[in-house]
Amino acid sequence: MAIVLGKQARWRTFAAHAVMWVFIAITLFPLLAVVSISLRPGNFATGSLIPTEISLEHWQLALGIPYQAADGSLVQPPFPVLTWLWNSIKIATASAFLIVAISTTAAYAFARMKFRFDRQVLNGMLLLQMFPPVLALVAIYAIFETIGTYVPALGIETHAGLVLAYLGGIATHVWTIKGYFETIPVEIEENAKVDGATHWQAFSRVLLPMAIPILMVVFVLAFIGTIIEYPVASILLREEGNLTLAVGSKYFLHDQRFLWGDFAAAAVLSGLPITLVFLLAQRWIVSGLTAGGVKG
Amino acid sequence: MNALSSSLGQGAYSTLPPTLTERLAKWLQWPAAIALMLGALYLVFVIYTTGQAAWAVGLLALFGAGFYVYLSRGGFAWRYLFPGVAGMLVFIAFPLVYTAQIGFTNYSSTHLLSESRVREYLLEQRDAVEDQVLGYSLHASGAEYRLALRAPQDGSPEAAPHWVSPPLALRAGKELRVELAAADAAAPPLNAALPLPELIQHREALAGLVLALPDASAPFRELRYLGLREFGPVKPLWTANADGSLTRALDAAVFKPNRDTGFFESASGEVLQPGFKAFIGVANYARMLVDAEFRGPFLSIFSWTVVFSALTVVFATAIGMLFAVMLNWEGMRFRTTYRTLLFLPYAVPGFISILVFKGLFNQNFGEINAILDALFGVKPAWFADPLLAKTMLLIVNVWLGYPYIMILCSGLLKAIPADLYEASALAGASPFTNFFKITAPLIIKPLAPLLVSAFAFNFNNFVLIALLTDGRPDFLSTKLPAGQTDILVSYTYRIAFKDSGSDFGLAAAISTLIFFLVAALSLINLRLSAKAQK
């Protein structure tokens, strides 16, 4: 813009930066505080926010290594954080794979085929997605209890059951992939079919390799979505060794047993990788946001 | 899949001969399908025989649809759609419908089972026939064991037994019927009886035994395990009648199932535990409106839910939009860095940042109170005082939520043509005039539907409440525990899964109410988006 800047403008810039700095400080305070707390000895707030003495006791406990306290006693890890992390990763990976598989095929049908009620089915799916599973927890619990009496491997307290429960949340992913498929010219697949490829071959050998970027994005989104999911996991998993990180973390901050330092280390350990993945995928997430998705 | 579609889509242009795997798949197609079908039918059958006819029919419909889609020649697109659509129907649509249905029942911890299961349970209850009880002892016989029974008047385990069993392996699990034989005085004597601690180890196996006396004419021929010392005949406490009622053997009192209250009840009003699931009409809904003790907390939770979501959206929008505008200003340096830093709260997993705040706000150990104490000498009770707890929830939620609005606004701001600002600069307008006369009117239309969905999201923001305050502090003197910071979803969770007797029916009724609110919000959302696109 070719605008002549007055004398006021410099003050304005200065004020804007000042506001920015103050607000960024407020925003970052909790995140920086938790890193510092994880390095501070003991589980209680003792004075300074910048630790005067660095101790790795909480990190040791978070990694499952018993810690030798100053008085000689051996402190055992309070919770199996690494088991929880592994449970979370296992469940999220399996769910994300299955979600990508079934939303890709569904998106292919919506993007490339004509069938009766196609608009209605798609709109119905998007509409259903507006009702979060947290509203139907009672029913989900009852359903998995019933499933468990006949197929124990998929019942309450099983990871397979939880993965199954997550397979309903695909509508936004279908929408995202469908949008991407529609940017790929249909002629390429038609040529493949002329050369003798079947429908399935045209889909799996021609279209899918071209759509790998979006499949990876959806995988990351589904992965993060399930790894941070709390409500359904909290009713289907109850035993300590079975929990996911999202469900287990809250036990650190029980009123009668407030393990602030241990929690901080576990939080940084598990939160950092997820945050980094999220920031890397930010570009696509942001473009997906405007399509109507809300952070879950 | 490969073989299925190749048998259909193979056109006249096919040049490649089918590969080995393709041929193999083609041969195995039907045997595999039939095996799957038999497995599915078996599962449906098992469910049906346990009396869950509705579940069996539902599952049969699902399997039927699946097999139809993949084995018939019609509905080609559905082969691609089926897994996704089935997933959504089973795990999103069905739970919604099922929740609504549960809302009309008394399903709760005292009414867990169906009527037929409760009847079965009661019919299994047995009582010992007092004067027919026999003492027993267990004797090792090689790797196996023999039971020796004697009448009470025979006294100690050393006395000669009346009846002995053949050697038994004694494995816990299924019921086992054993024919006893009269003790033979000429036979070699049994080994010494097992002492009590070893007997205890065989308790489960012994409990599964049904011993039959050799005398077929005895009135009580079958003996069951009664304890570590005794076997004896048992008689059922209840007998079933043709009309579904039960008669108590003790006094011939008849208990009829009362399908309004969900209990077996006698004419004199005696009630049997456990109760069964019963359809109770709109009683759960009536409770929200009529029951004064319940209505009070319910209405204040409802209004707090609305206030909470509305204020969150208002504050998050104000802050998010302010920073979006500032970051959009070209005179500002380091914009990318600022944007990334401000985006961070959105990137950190919610369950971690909420718990971090829970620790930071802790009254005694938290860093926030440490700072406030050093600066102003106050230590607010963030979790004990209702108003402070609500304020804290809003602070945390705005922290979590403003980056989302900021990103949305940034995207919308880019779409505003720059020449509008050039014109206003020529006219000498201030930044505030710019914002209120150009920016705000232009982005409010596309932003409105997104704000409505943000409102709907926060209306059901269960994770925040569950992890930060858990609804506390509680209202005093309510029949059902209810928290001052509970929102509707966390309240239903508490009713269903926490301290108050697991009243699934009531929780489901409240959830059904929320469905309608969410549906209404979605409708508004759609209207607003349609308007924005015009």
Side-chain angles (χ1 to χ4, degrees):
Chain A
M1 278 194 287
I3 297 177
V4 185
L5 296 173
K7 209 178 170 191
Q8 252 189 329
R10 235 191 294 157
W11 278 108
R12 229 177 255 161
T13 329
F14 181 77
H17 278 278
V19 170
M20 257 323 162
W21 276 105
V22 170
F23 205 81
I24 286 174
I26 297 174
T27 298
L28 294 188
F29 164 70
L31 304 175
L32 296 176
V34 80
V35 174
S36 128
I37 290 157
S38 78
L39 294 170
R40 198 170 63 187
N43 270 317
F44 305 103
T46 42
S48 73
L49 266 180
I50 301 150
T52 44
E53 178 194 350
I54 296 235
S55 152
L56 291 177
E57 55 178 273
H58 304 305
W59 280 91
Q60 273 192 333
L61 294 180
L63 292 169
I65 308 164
Y67 158 74
Q68 185 101 36
D71 57 2
S73 62
L74 203 62
V75 183
Q76 291 297 330
F79 296 108
V81 179
L82 287 183
T83 314
W84 290 346
L85 188 61
W86 167 237
N87 287 344
S88 284
I89 290 174
K90 200 168 64 175
I91 291 169
T93 311
S95 313
F97 256 115
L98 290 172
I99 286 174
V100 168
I102 64 178
S103 24
T104 310
T105 49
Y108 177 66
F110 285 122
R112 289 288 192 260
M113 297 179 189
K114 282 213 178 339
F115 53 97
R116 253 195 295 175
F117 308 122
D118 48 357
R119 294 271 318 258
Q120 285 87 338
V121 173
L122 185 60
N123 286 341
M125 285 170 84
L126 289 171
L127 203 68
L128 268 181
Q129 198 80 87
M130 298 197 177
F131 297 87
V134 66
L135 296 180
L137 286 182
V138 172
I140 291 174
Y141 182 79
I143 289 171
F144 278 92
E145 208 174 32
T146 313
I147 292 180
T149 44
Y150 302 106
V151 191
L154 295 176
I156 305 266
E157 284 293 351
T158 63
H159 292 163
L162 187 59
V163 170
L164 203 60
Y166 288 147
L167 294 189
I170 58 158
T172 41
H173 301 315
V174 171
W175 181 257
T176 314
I177 302 175
K178 171 183 173 273
Y180 193 87
F181 280 170
E182 279 166 353
T183 64
I184 299 174
V186 68
E187 285 75 19
I188 304 177
E189 287 152 74
E190 279 170 0
N191 286 346
K193 279 184 206 157
V194 168
D195 287 341
T198 63
H199 232 294
W200 173 254
Q201 283 168 335
F203 167 64
S204 62
R205 303 218 187 135
V206 180
L207 184 60
L208 279 193
M210 289 190 289
I212 279 178
I214 197 71
L215 299 187
M216 282 166 67
V217 170
V218 168
F219 182 87
V220 170
L221 287 181
F223 184 87
I224 292 176
T226 39
I227 217 164
I228 64 172
E229 203 278 344
Y230 174 78
V232 176
S234 81
I235 57 156
L236 291 189
L237 305 177
R238 292 276 168 90
E239 277 170 36
E240 189 179 283
N242 248 343
L243 299 184
T244 62
L245 209 55
V247 183
S249 301
K250 73 180 274 194
Y251 294 108
F252 276 105
L253 300 183
H254 196 272
D255 283 342
Q256 273 81 43
R257 195 162 169 245
F258 197 77
L259 304 170
W260 188 208
D262 297 344
F263 166 75
V268 178
L269 176 74
S270 51
L272 210 56
I274 307 176
T275 309
L276 287 178
V277 171
F278 201 91
L279 285 177
L280 289 176
Q282 176 192 353
R283 200 147 50 95
W284 300 291
I285 291 166
V286 169
S287 63
L289 280 181
T290 33
V294 180
K295 189 189 183 188
Chain B
M1 196 68 208
N2 231 330
L4 286 177
S5 41
S6 61
S7 67
L8 293 168
Q10 209 93 341
Y13 296 99
S14 179
T15 47
L16 282 174
T19 62
L20 182 66
T21 42
E22 276 168 349
R23 270 185 296 167
L24 202 66
K26 196 160 190 172
W27 287 331
L28 287 178
Q29 177 185 343
W30 285 105
I34 287 167
L36 277 177
M37 229 185 262
L38 286 176
L41 277 177
Y42 175 72
L43 188 64
V44 169
F45 178 72
V46 167
I47 294 174
Y48 179 75
T49 50
T50 51
Q52 306 268 21
W55 287 92
V57 170
L59 198 63
L60 189 67
L62 185 70
F63 283 142
F67 283 118
Y68 176 75
V69 164
Y70 288 107
L71 297 178
S72 81
R73 278 164 183 271
F76 196 70
W78 281 94
R79 294 191 174 177
Y80 292 89
L81 277 176
F82 184 75
V85 171
M88 289 212 70
L89 285 181
V90 174
F91 296 110
I92 298 203
F94 174 58
L96 293 181
V97 177
Y98 192 34
T99 305
Q101 192 263 331
I102 293 174
F104 291 107
T105 69
N106 62 354
Y107 187 29
S108 64
S109 55
T110 46
H111 300 268
L112 269 183
L113 303 172
S114 65
E115 187 188 325
S116 58
R117 290 292 301 279
V118 169
R119 186 178 294 113
E120 273 170 35
Y121 167 81
L122 289 171
L123 287 173
E124 277 168 18
Q125 302 303 303
R126 289 159 204 277
D127 203 6
V129 184
E130 287 293 338
D131 52 349
Q132 302 281 327
V133 173
L134 300 177
Y136 74 94
S137 54
L138 192 61
H139 305 266
S141 164
E144 299 186 317
Y145 299 91
R146 297 183 74 175
L147 267 169
L149 286 105
R150 44 185 75 75
Q153 61 267 25
D154 292 349
S156 73
E158 282 73 40
H162 268 82
W163 299 281
V164 289
S165 73
L168 303 167
L170 284 192
R171 278 189 213 93
K174 274 198 151 183
E175 240 188 38
L176 178 69
R177 193 183 157 88
V178 177
E179 296 288 339
L180 295 177
D184 185 356
L190 295 167
N191 295 332
L194 291 189
L196 200 59
E198 286 184 47
L199 200 59
I200 290 174
Q201 290 173 8
H202 295 294
R203 206 165 35 178
E204 272 181 48
L206 290 172
L209 292 180
V210 180
L211 307 179
L213 293 177
D215 179 6
S217 63
F220 295 108
R221 215 188 137 208
E222 288 187 350
L223 310 176
R224 281 167 193 271
Y225 174 83
L226 296 177
L228 287 168
R229 302 253 177 239
E230 292 160 342
F231 263 81
V234 290
K235 56 177 186 218
L237 287 176
W238 302 93
T239 45
N241 301 323
D243 63 345
S245 62
L246 296 169
T247 306
R248 183 153 63 188
L250 188 69
D251 54 3
V254 175
F255 284 76
K256 286 195 175 128
N258 182 339
R259 288 179 186 127
D260 293 326
T261 61
F263 284 111
F264 278 93
E265 292 176 354
S266 72
S268 61
E270 200 184 335
V271 165
L272 288 184
Q273 293 292 345
F276 54 84
K277 247 186 281 184
F279 182 78
I280 54 164
V282 293
N284 287 322
Y285 295 93
R287 230 174 132 182
M288 293 176 221
L289 296 173
V290 182
D291 183 350
E293 276 200 57
F294 180 73
R295 191 181 53 196
F298 176 75
L299 287 181
S300 56
I301 286 174
F302 183 83
S303 49
W304 161 239
T305 312
V306 175
V307 169
F308 164 76
S309 355
L311 287 184
T312 301
V313 173
V314 167
F315 290 135
T317 309
I319 295 176
M321 208 189 274
L322 172 72
F323 285 106
V325 171
M326 282 171 75
L327 290 173
N328 201 42
W329 180 28
E330 284 172 20
M332 192 92 160
R333 289 173 67 202
F334 315 117
R335 287 192 295 170
T336 335
T337 320
Y338 287 160
R339 193 192 306 270
T340 311
L341 290 176
L342 288 173
F343 181 74
L344 266 183
Y346 194 76
V348 176
F351 72 92
I352 286 178
S353 41
I354 294 168
L355 287 171
V356 166
F357 272 108
K358 185 176 179 180
L360 291 175
F361 272 108
N362 187 290
Q363 198 188 348
N364 299 315
F365 316 128
E367 274 62 23
I368 289 178
N369 271 9
I371 293 172
L372 288 179
D373 195 26
L375 291 180
F376 310 108
V378 288
K379 278 191 160 190
W382 294 105
F383 289 90
D385 183 89
L387 195 65
L388 282 176
K390 289 178 177 180
T391 315
M392 171 181 70
L393 279 174
L394 280 176
I395 294 173
V396 175
N397 209 20
V398 169
W399 184 91
L400 287 166
Y402 83 85
Y404 171 66
I405 309 274
M406 183 181 85
I407 300 281
L408 290 182
C409 290
S410 299
L412 295 173
L413 285 175
K414 288 208 183 87
I416 300 178
D419 50 358
L420 291 179
Y421 294 106
E422 282 170 29
S424 84
L426 285 180
S430 73
F432 290 99
T433 323
N434 273 347
F435 179 77
F436 287 107
K437 295 278 153 126
I438 302 173
T439 317
L442 277 173
I443 63 172
I444 200 69
K445 242 188 181 182
L447 194 61
L450 298 165
L451 293 184
V452 171
S453 61
F455 180 87
F457 171 77
N458 284 301
F459 198 87
N460 296 317
N461 197 340
F462 170 74
V463 180
L464 177 74
I465 308 288
L467 293 183
L468 194 57
T469 64
D470 225 350
R472 281 184 291 259
D474 283 358
F475 285 105
L476 301 171
S477 69
T478 50
K479 230 192 289 172
L480 271 178
Q484 307 235 26
T485 59
D486 261 328
I487 57 174
L488 282 176
V489 267
S490 66
Y491 187 43
T492 61
Y493 183 87
R494 187 184 259 227
I495 293 174
F497 299 105
K498 283 209 156 156
D499 31 39
S500 47
S502 298
D503 196 337
F504 297 126
L506 180 62
I510 301 178
S511 296
T512 312
L513 205 67
I514 307 177
F515 293 165
F516 285 107
L517 295 171
V518 171
L521 287 173
S522 313
L523 210 66
I524 296 174
N525 193 346
L526 286 179
R527 284 278 163 80
L528 288 175
S529 346
K531 231 186 222 171
Q533 267 159 21
K534 260 180 210 164

mmCIF file of all heavy atoms in Angstrom, chain A residues 143-158 160-161 164, chain B residues 39-40 42-44 46-47 59 63:
data_model
loop_
_atom_site.group_PDB
_atom_site.id
_atom_site.type_symbol
_atom_site.label_atom_id
_atom_site.label_comp_id
_atom_site.label_asym_id
_atom_site.label_seq_id
_atom_site.Cartn_x
_atom_site.Cartn_y
_atom_site.Cartn_z
ATOM 1 N N ILE A 143 -23.530 -50.612 24.482
ATOM 2 C CA ILE A 143 -23.245 -51.370 23.258
ATOM 3 C C ILE A 143 -22.003 -52.231 23.452
ATOM 4 O O ILE A 143 -22.004 -53.427 23.145
ATOM 5 C CB ILE A 143 -23.048 -50.414 22.067
ATOM 6 C CG1 ILE A 143 -24.377 -49.783 21.675
ATOM 7 C CG2 ILE A 143 -22.445 -51.151 20.869
ATOM 8 C CD1 ILE A 143 -24.239 -48.674 20.671
ATOM 9 N N PHE A 144 -20.950 -51.638 24.001
ATOM 10 C CA PHE A 144 -19.721 -52.417 24.122
ATOM 11 C C PHE A 144 -19.819 -53.461 25.222
ATOM 12 O O PHE A 144 -19.154 -54.488 25.166
ATOM 13 C CB PHE A 144 -18.509 -51.500 24.291
ATOM 14 C CG PHE A 144 -18.043 -50.980 22.975
ATOM 15 C CD1 PHE A 144 -18.514 -49.793 22.479
ATOM 16 C CD2 PHE A 144 -17.188 -51.734 22.204
ATOM 17 C CE1 PHE A 144 -18.129 -49.342 21.239
ATOM 18 C CE2 PHE A 144 -16.797 -51.299 20.964
ATOM 19 C CZ PHE A 144 -17.268 -50.102 20.483
ATOM 20 N N GLU A 145 -20.671 -53.219 26.213
ATOM 21 C CA GLU A 145 -20.896 -54.257 27.205
ATOM 22 C C GLU A 145 -21.583 -55.451 26.545
ATOM 23 O O GLU A 145 -21.227 -56.602 26.783
ATOM 24 C CB GLU A 145 -21.749 -53.702 28.341
ATOM 25 C CG GLU A 145 -21.465 -54.399 29.627
ATOM 26 C CD GLU A 145 -22.199 -53.770 30.790
ATOM 27 O OE1 GLU A 145 -23.314 -53.256 30.572
ATOM 28 O OE2 GLU A 145 -21.666 -53.801 31.895
ATOM 29 N N THR A 146 -22.571 -55.157 25.677
ATOM 30 C CA THR A 146 -23.261 -56.243 24.977
ATOM 31 C C THR A 146 -22.310 -56.964 24.034
ATOM 32 O O THR A 146 -22.267 -58.198 24.009
ATOM 33 C CB THR A 146 -24.446 -55.676 24.178
ATOM 34 O OG1 THR A 146 -25.174 -54.803 25.022
ATOM 35 C CG2 THR A 146 -25.341 -56.786 23.694
ATOM 36 N N ILE A 147 -21.529 -56.206 23.249
ATOM 37 C CA ILE A 147 -20.570 -56.832 22.341
ATOM 38 C C ILE A 147 -19.646 -57.748 23.137
ATOM 39 O O ILE A 147 -19.363 -58.873 22.739
ATOM 40 C CB ILE A 147 -19.751 -55.764 21.586
ATOM 41 C CG1 ILE A 147 -20.641 -54.986 20.620
ATOM 42 C CG2 ILE A 147 -18.602 -56.413 20.817
ATOM 43 C CD1 ILE A 147 -19.908 -53.918 19.847
ATOM 44 N N GLY A 148 -19.203 -57.251 24.301
ATOM 45 C CA GLY A 148 -18.250 -57.999 25.107
ATOM 46 C C GLY A 148 -18.779 -59.332 25.603
ATOM 47 O O GLY A 148 -18.005 -60.278 25.773
ATOM 48 N N THR A 149 -20.092 -59.449 25.819
ATOM 49 C CA THR A 149 -20.603 -60.733 26.296
ATOM 50 C C THR A 149 -20.543 -61.799 25.210
ATOM 51 O O THR A 149 -20.504 -62.981 25.511
ATOM 52 C CB THR A 149 -22.063 -60.615 26.784
ATOM 53 O OG1 THR A 149 -22.777 -59.827 25.847
ATOM 54 C CG2 THR A 149 -22.145 -59.999 28.149
ATOM 55 N N TYR A 150 -20.558 -61.390 23.935
ATOM 56 C CA TYR A 150 -20.518 -62.378 22.854
ATOM 57 C C TYR A 150 -19.137 -62.485 22.231
ATOM 58 O O TYR A 150 -18.705 -63.564 21.845
ATOM 59 C CB TYR A 150 -21.553 -62.048 21.788
ATOM 60 C CG TYR A 150 -22.939 -61.990 22.372
ATOM 61 C CD1 TYR A 150 -23.577 -60.783 22.575
ATOM 62 C CD2 TYR A 150 -23.556 -63.156 22.790
ATOM 63 C CE1 TYR A 150 -24.825 -60.739 23.163
ATOM 64 C CE2 TYR A 150 -24.796 -63.126 23.381
ATOM 65 C CZ TYR A 150 -25.433 -61.914 23.561
ATOM 66 O OH TYR A 150 -26.653 -61.882 24.162
ATOM 67 N N VAL A 151 -18.463 -61.351 22.076
ATOM 68 C CA VAL A 151 -17.109 -61.353 21.509
ATOM 69 C C VAL A 151 -16.202 -60.653 22.523
ATOM 70 O O VAL A 151 -15.990 -59.449 22.432
ATOM 71 C CB VAL A 151 -17.082 -60.603 20.157
ATOM 72 C CG1 VAL A 151 -15.755 -60.851 19.459
ATOM 73 C CG2 VAL A 151 -18.227 -61.030 19.282
ATOM 74 N N PRO A 152 -15.688 -61.391 23.501
ATOM 75 C CA PRO A 152 -14.935 -60.731 24.586
ATOM 76 C C PRO A 152 -13.767 -59.887 24.089
ATOM 77 O O PRO A 152 -13.396 -58.909 24.739
ATOM 78 C CB PRO A 152 -14.424 -61.904 25.420
ATOM 79 C CG PRO A 152 -15.348 -63.030 25.102
ATOM 80 C CD PRO A 152 -15.790 -62.830 23.696
ATOM 81 N N ALA A 153 -13.198 -60.214 22.929
ATOM 82 C CA ALA A 153 -12.033 -59.464 22.451
ATOM 83 C C ALA A 153 -12.381 -58.038 22.053
ATOM 84 O O ALA A 153 -11.488 -57.216 21.847
ATOM 85 C CB ALA A 153 -11.398 -60.182 21.274
ATOM 86 N N LEU A 154 -13.682 -57.731 21.906
ATOM 87 C CA LEU A 154 -14.069 -56.388 21.474
ATOM 88 C C LEU A 154 -14.882 -55.666 22.538
ATOM 89 O O LEU A 154 -15.498 -54.642 22.266
ATOM 90 C CB LEU A 154 -14.903 -56.468 20.188
ATOM 91 C CG LEU A 154 -14.176 -57.006 18.958
ATOM 92 C CD1 LEU A 154 -15.152 -57.119 17.793
ATOM 93 C CD2 LEU A 154 -13.038 -56.096 18.577
ATOM 94 N N GLY A 155 -14.872 -56.166 23.756
ATOM 95 C CA GLY A 155 -15.749 -55.586 24.767
ATOM 96 C C GLY A 155 -15.125 -54.420 25.513
ATOM 97 O O GLY A 155 -14.183 -53.785 25.043
ATOM 98 N N ILE A 156 -15.669 -54.150 26.718
ATOM 99 C CA ILE A 156 -15.124 -53.133 27.601
ATOM 100 C C ILE A 156 -13.712 -53.569 27.998
ATOM 101 O O ILE A 156 -13.432 -54.764 28.076
ATOM 102 C CB ILE A 156 -16.003 -53.046 28.855
ATOM 103 C CG1 ILE A 156 -17.446 -52.794 28.460
ATOM 104 C CG2 ILE A 156 -15.495 -52.010 29.840
ATOM 105 C CD1 ILE A 156 -17.887 -51.401 28.423
ATOM 106 N N GLU A 157 -12.835 -52.608 28.263
ATOM 107 C CA GLU A 157 -11.458 -52.880 28.710
ATOM 108 C C GLU A 157 -10.581 -53.498 27.620
ATOM 109 O O GLU A 157 -9.542 -54.055 27.915
ATOM 110 C CB GLU A 157 -11.427 -53.817 29.934
ATOM 111 C CG GLU A 157 -11.789 -53.171 31.243
ATOM 112 C CD GLU A 157 -10.789 -52.140 31.729
ATOM 113 O OE1 GLU A 157 -9.719 -52.026 31.134
ATOM 114 O OE2 GLU A 157 -11.112 -51.427 32.677
ATOM 115 N N THR A 158 -11.004 -53.441 26.363
ATOM 116 C CA THR A 158 -10.127 -53.931 25.304
ATOM 117 C C THR A 158 -9.764 -52.771 24.390
ATOM 118 O O THR A 158 -10.578 -51.871 24.146
ATOM 119 C CB THR A 158 -10.795 -55.007 24.443
ATOM 120 O OG1 THR A 158 -11.914 -54.424 23.788
ATOM 121 C CG2 THR A 158 -11.231 -56.175 25.268
ATOM 122 N N ALA A 160 -9.027 -53.153 21.205
ATOM 123 C CA ALA A 160 -9.687 -53.366 19.918
ATOM 124 C C ALA A 160 -11.088 -52.748 19.935
ATOM 125 O O ALA A 160 -11.521 -52.141 18.965
ATOM 126 C CB ALA A 160 -9.762 -54.848 19.605
ATOM 127 N N GLY A 161 -11.771 -52.881 21.061
ATOM 128 C CA GLY A 161 -13.093 -52.291 21.172
ATOM 129 C C GLY A 161 -13.041 -50.779 21.033
ATOM 130 O O GLY A 161 -13.876 -50.175 20.349
ATOM 131 N N LEU A 164 -12.554 -49.798 17.491
ATOM 132 C CA LEU A 164 -13.824 -49.962 16.785
ATOM 133 C C LEU A 164 -14.731 -48.750 17.034
ATOM 134 O O LEU A 164 -15.372 -48.231 16.122
ATOM 135 C CB LEU A 164 -14.489 -51.244 17.299
ATOM 136 C CG LEU A 164 -15.505 -51.924 16.420
ATOM 137 C CD1 LEU A 164 -14.864 -52.312 15.108
ATOM 138 C CD2 LEU A 164 -16.042 -53.159 17.122
ATOM 139 N N GLY B 39 -20.094 -68.148 9.907
ATOM 140 C CA GLY B 39 -19.628 -67.556 11.157
ATOM 141 C C GLY B 39 -20.593 -66.490 11.636
ATOM 142 O O GLY B 39 -20.979 -66.447 12.806
ATOM 143 N N ALA B 40 -21.003 -65.621 10.710
ATOM 144 C CA ALA B 40 -21.911 -64.533 11.062
ATOM 145 C C ALA B 40 -23.234 -65.091 11.560
ATOM 146 O O ALA B 40 -23.777 -64.646 12.576
ATOM 147 C CB ALA B 40 -22.130 -63.636 9.847
ATOM 148 N N TYR B 42 -23.778 -67.946 12.902
ATOM 149 C CA TYR B 42 -23.594 -68.581 14.202
ATOM 150 C C TYR B 42 -23.656 -67.526 15.316
ATOM 151 O O TYR B 42 -24.339 -67.695 16.322
ATOM 152 C CB TYR B 42 -22.253 -69.320 14.240
ATOM 153 C CG TYR B 42 -21.935 -69.889 15.592
ATOM 154 C CD1 TYR B 42 -22.628 -70.991 16.070
ATOM 155 C CD2 TYR B 42 -20.971 -69.306 16.406
ATOM 156 C CE1 TYR B 42 -22.363 -71.514 17.320
ATOM 157 C CE2 TYR B 42 -20.703 -69.817 17.659
ATOM 158 C CZ TYR B 42 -21.405 -70.925 18.115
ATOM 159 O OH TYR B 42 -21.144 -71.426 19.365
ATOM 160 N N LEU B 43 -22.958 -66.394 15.090
ATOM 161 C CA LEU B 43 -22.954 -65.327 16.081
ATOM 162 C C LEU B 43 -24.373 -64.820 16.322
ATOM 163 O O LEU B 43 -24.813 -64.659 17.466
ATOM 164 C CB LEU B 43 -22.048 -64.188 15.619
ATOM 165 C CG LEU B 43 -21.788 -63.098 16.639
ATOM 166 C CD1 LEU B 43 -21.035 -63.656 17.830
ATOM 167 C CD2 LEU B 43 -20.997 -61.968 16.010
ATOM 168 N N VAL B 44 -25.111 -64.593 15.225
ATOM 169 C CA VAL B 44 -26.489 -64.118 15.349
ATOM 170 C C VAL B 44 -27.317 -65.122 16.137
ATOM 171 O O VAL B 44 -28.092 -64.766 17.024
ATOM 172 C CB VAL B 44 -27.090 -63.892 13.942
ATOM 173 C CG1 VAL B 44 -28.580 -63.656 14.041
ATOM 174 C CG2 VAL B 44 -26.408 -62.729 13.263
ATOM 175 N N VAL B 46 -26.265 -67.362 18.357
ATOM 176 C CA VAL B 46 -25.896 -67.359 19.771
ATOM 177 C C VAL B 46 -26.583 -66.208 20.496
ATOM 178 O O VAL B 46 -27.141 -66.365 21.586
ATOM 179 C CB VAL B 46 -24.362 -67.264 19.931
ATOM 180 C CG1 VAL B 46 -23.984 -66.952 21.369
ATOM 181 C CG2 VAL B 46 -23.709 -68.561 19.495
ATOM 182 N N ILE B 47 -26.559 -65.037 19.851
ATOM 183 C CA ILE B 47 -27.172 -63.876 20.494
ATOM 184 C C ILE B 47 -28.678 -64.088 20.633
ATOM 185 O O ILE B 47 -29.274 -63.774 21.662
ATOM 186 C CB ILE B 47 -26.859 -62.599 19.679
ATOM 187 C CG1 ILE B 47 -25.370 -62.324 19.740
ATOM 188 C CG2 ILE B 47 -27.642 -61.413 20.204
ATOM 189 C CD1 ILE B 47 -24.922 -61.197 18.868
ATOM 190 N N LEU B 59 -28.045 -57.179 14.103
ATOM 191 C CA LEU B 59 -26.787 -57.705 13.582
ATOM 192 C C LEU B 59 -27.022 -58.446 12.280
ATOM 193 O O LEU B 59 -26.234 -58.323 11.323
ATOM 194 C CB LEU B 59 -26.175 -58.648 14.617
ATOM 195 C CG LEU B 59 -24.703 -58.950 14.430
ATOM 196 C CD1 LEU B 59 -23.894 -57.683 14.582
ATOM 197 C CD2 LEU B 59 -24.246 -59.979 15.439
ATOM 198 N N PHE B 63 -25.128 -57.700 8.780
ATOM 199 C CA PHE B 63 -24.403 -58.724 8.026
ATOM 200 C C PHE B 63 -25.064 -58.935 6.662
ATOM 201 O O PHE B 63 -24.396 -59.067 5.638
ATOM 202 C CB PHE B 63 -24.382 -60.051 8.792
ATOM 203 C CG PHE B 63 -23.388 -60.073 9.911
ATOM 204 C CD1 PHE B 63 -23.683 -60.698 11.113
ATOM 205 C CD2 PHE B 63 -22.149 -59.482 9.764
ATOM 206 C CE1 PHE B 63 -22.766 -60.727 12.147
ATOM 207 C CE2 PHE B 63 -21.223 -59.499 10.791
ATOM 208 C CZ PHE B 63 -21.545 -60.124 11.983
#
